[in-house]
Amino acid sequence: MLRLGRREFGPHERVIMAIVNRTPDSFYDRGATFRDEPALARVEQAVAEGAAIIDIGGVKAGPGEEVSAEEEARRTVGFVAEVRRRFPEVIISVDTWRAEVGEAVCEAGADLLNDAWGGADPGLAEVAARYGVGLVCTHAGGAEPRTRPHRVTYDDVMADILDVTVGLARRAVELGVPRESVLIDPGHDFGKNTRHSLEATRRLDEMVASGWPVLVSLSNKDFVGETLDRPVKERLIGTLATTAVSSWLGAMVYRVHEVAETRQVLDMVSSIAGHRAPAVARRGLA
């Protein structure tokens, strides 16, 4: 079972986490949701299309202009509070590696801290424990926040992923984060080249077998683009193919840009697997 905010999810449920970037320079939307009203409209649309979680980020993942903790908080804290007010049932996640930002967004109503940089600030897990919120424990290969991998190697990439993420998850629980609110994430593209991310996808069932709910952040990433030789805006098909494989292998939460398309893929895979009835079943019966 996974418990986040007011919601509980069973082992066969597939949960969508919609991305809302509060940055002027995000790699995908180039600042489309930097201002409040477009960002709130994005939240409304994502919820209507089937997202249970809204993931709010105030700093783009890649290299770029320096963003202080104060500026990151300015971009996210007030917005978290407004989303909490307008959408009381939605699960609010914040993508941050900084404990001080984590504390501020928890005060504003966040339910989940998405630590995409693998414990770069160990204090973030302590914040999650103190507020009783969820935590995403990600493998980033030891990379510093906002850096790109360069000639990174692993003897066994999945063994490293499991060692790091399960270690972070266990530490979080020891600190007091609720066991049922901790997820692990292989960290596609983070501290990895394309072959590493493909292997992590291929062996995702090994993460599922660890017993921790698995979150994947696949949407329009470079490993998809390089695999198919497609620019950012032409990676949806590759992303959805990877999503289908990940769902079949047991991943539970999907951090995405395109909610409606992802919902259809996840529902189709769940129905093939026998965990979801068809929405309509008239063929051969009329």
PDB file of all heavy atoms in Angstrom, residues 167-183:
ATOM      1  N   GLY A 167      18.772   2.103   0.615  1.00  0.00           N
ATOM      2  CA  GLY A 167      19.465   2.686   1.760  1.00  0.00           C
ATOM      3  C   GLY A 167      18.849   4.004   2.193  1.00  0.00           C
ATOM      4  O   GLY A 167      18.641   4.249   3.392  1.00  0.00           O
ATOM      5  N   LEU A 168      18.532   4.865   1.224  1.00  0.00           N
ATOM      6  CA  LEU A 168      17.884   6.142   1.536  1.00  0.00           C
ATOM      7  C   LEU A 168      16.494   5.912   2.135  1.00  0.00           C
ATOM      8  O   LEU A 168      16.083   6.614   3.072  1.00  0.00           O
ATOM      9  CB  LEU A 168      17.777   6.999   0.277  1.00  0.00           C
ATOM     10  CG  LEU A 168      19.080   7.577  -0.274  1.00  0.00           C
ATOM     11  CD1 LEU A 168      18.845   8.193  -1.656  1.00  0.00           C
ATOM     12  CD2 LEU A 168      19.658   8.636   0.669  1.00  0.00           C
ATOM     13  N   ALA A 169      15.757   4.938   1.582  1.00  0.00           N
ATOM     14  CA  ALA A 169      14.410   4.652   2.090  1.00  0.00           C
ATOM     15  C   ALA A 169      14.450   4.159   3.524  1.00  0.00           C
ATOM     16  O   ALA A 169      13.664   4.590   4.378  1.00  0.00           O
ATOM     17  CB  ALA A 169      13.726   3.637   1.177  1.00  0.00           C
ATOM     18  N   ARG A 170      15.373   3.261   3.808  1.00  0.00           N
ATOM     19  CA  ARG A 170      15.484   2.734   5.179  1.00  0.00           C
ATOM     20  C   ARG A 170      15.884   3.841   6.150  1.00  0.00           C
ATOM     21  O   ARG A 170      15.360   3.904   7.273  1.00  0.00           O
ATOM     22  CB  ARG A 170      16.496   1.595   5.198  1.00  0.00           C
ATOM     23  CG  ARG A 170      15.980   0.315   4.544  1.00  0.00           C
ATOM     24  CD  ARG A 170      17.066  -0.731   4.439  1.00  0.00           C
ATOM     25  NE  ARG A 170      16.540  -1.997   3.918  1.00  0.00           N
ATOM     26  CZ  ARG A 170      17.289  -2.977   3.457  1.00  0.00           C
ATOM     27  NH1 ARG A 170      18.617  -2.863   3.446  1.00  0.00           N
ATOM     28  NH2 ARG A 170      16.744  -4.092   2.994  1.00  0.00           N
ATOM     29  N   ARG A 171      16.798   4.695   5.733  1.00  0.00           N
ATOM     30  CA  ARG A 171      17.192   5.813   6.608  1.00  0.00           C
ATOM     31  C   ARG A 171      15.987   6.707   6.887  1.00  0.00           C
ATOM     32  O   ARG A 171      15.784   7.151   8.032  1.00  0.00           O
ATOM     33  CB  ARG A 171      18.307   6.628   5.955  1.00  0.00           C
ATOM     34  CG  ARG A 171      18.669   7.888   6.744  1.00  0.00           C
ATOM     35  CD  ARG A 171      19.786   8.703   6.081  1.00  0.00           C
ATOM     36  NE  ARG A 171      20.075   9.885   6.876  1.00  0.00           N
ATOM     37  CZ  ARG A 171      19.533  11.082   6.650  1.00  0.00           C
ATOM     38  NH1 ARG A 171      18.670  11.248   5.650  1.00  0.00           N
ATOM     39  NH2 ARG A 171      19.843  12.110   7.429  1.00  0.00           N
ATOM     40  N   ALA A 172      15.189   6.976   5.853  1.00  0.00           N
ATOM     41  CA  ALA A 172      14.020   7.836   6.029  1.00  0.00           C
ATOM     42  C   ALA A 172      13.067   7.249   7.061  1.00  0.00           C
ATOM     43  O   ALA A 172      12.559   7.959   7.942  1.00  0.00           O
ATOM     44  CB  ALA A 172      13.313   8.036   4.689  1.00  0.00           C
ATOM     45  N   VAL A 173      12.814   5.961   6.966  1.00  0.00           N
ATOM     46  CA  VAL A 173      11.907   5.310   7.914  1.00  0.00           C
ATOM     47  C   VAL A 173      12.490   5.340   9.325  1.00  0.00           C
ATOM     48  O   VAL A 173      11.781   5.575  10.309  1.00  0.00           O
ATOM     49  CB  VAL A 173      11.599   3.876   7.462  1.00  0.00           C
ATOM     50  CG1 VAL A 173      10.807   3.127   8.531  1.00  0.00           C
ATOM     51  CG2 VAL A 173      10.824   3.891   6.151  1.00  0.00           C
ATOM     52  N   GLU A 174      13.787   5.122   9.436  1.00  0.00           N
ATOM     53  CA  GLU A 174      14.439   5.190  10.755  1.00  0.00           C
ATOM     54  C   GLU A 174      14.310   6.578  11.365  1.00  0.00           C
ATOM     55  O   GLU A 174      14.192   6.732  12.583  1.00  0.00           O
ATOM     56  CB  GLU A 174      15.911   4.804  10.622  1.00  0.00           C
ATOM     57  CG  GLU A 174      16.141   3.318  10.366  1.00  0.00           C
ATOM     58  CD  GLU A 174      17.572   3.004  10.007  1.00  0.00           C
ATOM     59  OE1 GLU A 174      18.402   3.950   9.965  1.00  0.00           O
ATOM     60  OE2 GLU A 174      17.867   1.830   9.744  1.00  0.00           O
ATOM     61  N   LEU A 175      14.305   7.610  10.513  1.00  0.00           N
ATOM     62  CA  LEU A 175      14.145   8.980  10.996  1.00  0.00           C
ATOM     63  C   LEU A 175      12.714   9.272  11.419  1.00  0.00           C
ATOM     64  O   LEU A 175      12.467  10.221  12.163  1.00  0.00           O
ATOM     65  CB  LEU A 175      14.567   9.968   9.907  1.00  0.00           C
ATOM     66  CG  LEU A 175      16.061  10.081   9.611  1.00  0.00           C
ATOM     67  CD1 LEU A 175      16.298  10.889   8.335  1.00  0.00           C
ATOM     68  CD2 LEU A 175      16.794  10.722  10.786  1.00  0.00           C
ATOM     69  N   GLY A 176      11.750   8.480  10.900  1.00  0.00           N
ATOM     70  CA  GLY A 176      10.362   8.689  11.262  1.00  0.00           C
ATOM     71  C   GLY A 176       9.418   8.953  10.115  1.00  0.00           C
ATOM     72  O   GLY A 176       8.222   9.199  10.334  1.00  0.00           O
ATOM     73  N   VAL A 177       9.912   8.911   8.853  1.00  0.00           N
ATOM     74  CA  VAL A 177       9.007   9.049   7.716  1.00  0.00           C
ATOM     75  C   VAL A 177       8.126   7.798   7.670  1.00  0.00           C
ATOM     76  O   VAL A 177       8.622   6.681   7.805  1.00  0.00           O
ATOM     77  CB  VAL A 177       9.793   9.194   6.390  1.00  0.00           C
ATOM     78  CG1 VAL A 177       8.831   9.343   5.209  1.00  0.00           C
ATOM     79  CG2 VAL A 177      10.735  10.383   6.449  1.00  0.00           C
ATOM     80  N   PRO A 178       6.822   7.943   7.498  1.00  0.00           N
ATOM     81  CA  PRO A 178       5.951   6.767   7.460  1.00  0.00           C
ATOM     82  C   PRO A 178       6.381   5.783   6.371  1.00  0.00           C
ATOM     83  O   PRO A 178       6.589   6.175   5.223  1.00  0.00           O
ATOM     84  CB  PRO A 178       4.568   7.365   7.157  1.00  0.00           C
ATOM     85  CG  PRO A 178       4.648   8.781   7.636  1.00  0.00           C
ATOM     86  CD  PRO A 178       6.064   9.215   7.377  1.00  0.00           C
ATOM     87  N   ARG A 179       6.521   4.513   6.735  1.00  0.00           N
ATOM     88  CA  ARG A 179       6.976   3.485   5.799  1.00  0.00           C
ATOM     89  C   ARG A 179       6.121   3.445   4.540  1.00  0.00           C
ATOM     90  O   ARG A 179       6.634   3.263   3.427  1.00  0.00           O
ATOM     91  CB  ARG A 179       6.960   2.117   6.497  1.00  0.00           C
ATOM     92  CG  ARG A 179       7.147   0.892   5.592  1.00  0.00           C
ATOM     93  CD  ARG A 179       8.525   0.895   4.959  1.00  0.00           C
ATOM     94  NE  ARG A 179       8.777  -0.308   4.177  1.00  0.00           N
ATOM     95  CZ  ARG A 179       8.338  -0.532   2.931  1.00  0.00           C
ATOM     96  NH1 ARG A 179       7.582   0.366   2.335  1.00  0.00           N
ATOM     97  NH2 ARG A 179       8.647  -1.649   2.289  1.00  0.00           N
ATOM     98  N   GLU A 180       4.813   3.620   4.694  1.00  0.00           N
ATOM     99  CA  GLU A 180       3.904   3.521   3.565  1.00  0.00           C
ATOM    100  C   GLU A 180       3.904   4.776   2.685  1.00  0.00           C
ATOM    101  O   GLU A 180       3.174   4.838   1.696  1.00  0.00           O
ATOM    102  CB  GLU A 180       2.476   3.241   4.053  1.00  0.00           C
ATOM    103  CG  GLU A 180       1.863   4.339   4.902  1.00  0.00           C
ATOM    104  CD  GLU A 180       2.208   4.236   6.384  1.00  0.00           C
ATOM    105  OE1 GLU A 180       3.163   3.499   6.737  1.00  0.00           O
ATOM    106  OE2 GLU A 180       1.533   4.900   7.191  1.00  0.00           O
ATOM    107  N   SER A 181       4.719   5.764   3.040  1.00  0.00           N
ATOM    108  CA  SER A 181       4.779   7.015   2.276  1.00  0.00           C
ATOM    109  C   SER A 181       6.148   7.255   1.650  1.00  0.00           C
ATOM    110  O   SER A 181       6.468   8.375   1.241  1.00  0.00           O
ATOM    111  CB  SER A 181       4.423   8.200   3.188  1.00  0.00           C
ATOM    112  OG  SER A 181       3.137   8.034   3.748  1.00  0.00           O
ATOM    113  N   VAL A 182       6.959   6.217   1.563  1.00  0.00           N
ATOM    114  CA  VAL A 182       8.296   6.320   0.973  1.00  0.00           C
ATOM    115  C   VAL A 182       8.306   5.588  -0.365  1.00  0.00           C
ATOM    116  O   VAL A 182       7.852   4.447  -0.464  1.00  0.00           O
ATOM    117  CB  VAL A 182       9.365   5.719   1.908  1.00  0.00           C
ATOM    118  CG1 VAL A 182      10.737   5.764   1.258  1.00  0.00           C
ATOM    119  CG2 VAL A 182       9.376   6.467   3.237  1.00  0.00           C
ATOM    120  N   LEU A 183       8.828   6.264  -1.397  1.00  0.00           N
ATOM    121  CA  LEU A 183       8.960   5.671  -2.725  1.00  0.00           C
ATOM    122  C   LEU A 183      10.419   5.670  -3.143  1.00  0.00           C
ATOM    123  O   LEU A 183      11.213   6.492  -2.652  1.00  0.00           O
ATOM    124  CB  LEU A 183       8.157   6.459  -3.764  1.00  0.00           C
ATOM    125  CG  LEU A 183       6.668   6.650  -3.513  1.00  0.00           C
ATOM    126  CD1 LEU A 183       6.421   8.042  -2.920  1.00  0.00           C
ATOM    127  CD2 LEU A 183       5.878   6.504  -4.807  1.00  0.00           C
TER     128      LEU A 183
END
